[in-house]
Amino acid sequence: MGYHKLIQDNVKMAFNTIGDIAEDITFTNNKVDGYNFATQSISENTDAPITVKAVIESQYRTNDDKPRLECKIMIDSANLDSKNIDNYDIVVLRGKNWKINSFEDNNYVINLIVGRES
């Protein structure tokens, strides 16, 4: 057995072991398809939301110009293809909308940083 498969199996086992510590998060988005100048309204299209289990690593307040809350999230790469994250701009976590700031996928876990105004 190669190390890649061994690490993937251990990540899966770790996510199964933590049980209810992992929380459901939902990826959502709104895409503007067009603008109607006559009615001054936009038409939107929404991709199907994706819900996955994730571990909230930390939540903290930034000291930037605008106080913000940021949150680090870890997701098992086997449960979500990181290519799909590019299609989404919002994560619903604990009933609040968070903007996706950045993410990194090492083929084992996806580390996601999200933020929202405090």
Side-chain angles (χ1 to χ4, degrees):
M1 178 187 307
Y3 285 114
H4 181 73
K5 178 74 171 133
L6 178 65
I7 293 171
Q8 282 181 327
D9 289 345
N10 284 329
V11 168
K12 184 176 183 171
M13 184 177 61
F15 271 85
N16 288 337
T17 302
I18 61 173
D20 63 350
I21 293 174
E23 300 179 36
D24 285 335
I25 65 168
T26 304
F27 290 86
T28 64
N29 71 345
N30 286 325
K31 293 181 185 175
V32 176
D33 286 338
Y35 183 77
N36 184 332
F37 288 96
T39 62
Q40 296 183 356
S41 62
I42 59 172
S43 58
E44 293 181 326
N45 180 18
T46 303
D47 289 336
I50 298 174
T51 302
V52 294
K53 289 283 188 188
V55 175
I56 311 307
E57 291 182 44
S58 62
Q59 182 175 325
Y60 53 93
R61 184 177 303 275
T62 64
N63 291 324
D64 299 341
D65 292 336
K66 293 182 179 179
R68 294 178 49 84
L69 292 175
E70 290 195 356
C71 189
K72 291 183 181 178
I73 301 171
M74 187 183 334
I75 304 167
D76 183 356
S77 288
N79 295 335
L80 177 66
D81 185 354
S82 63
K83 294 175 192 169
N84 291 336
I85 295 175
D86 287 336
N87 298 330
Y88 295 91
D89 51 5
I90 295 173
V91 170
V92 179
L93 166 66
R94 298 177 181 162
K96 306 250 187 221
N97 290 341
W98 297 73
K99 183 180 180 288
I100 298 173
N101 293 341
S102 65
F103 70 92
E104 179 183 341
D105 184 2
N106 62 13
N107 290 325
Y108 305 110
V109 294
I110 299 171
N111 294 304
L112 188 69
I113 297 178
V114 296
R116 68 179 178 88
E117 298 297 321
S118 57

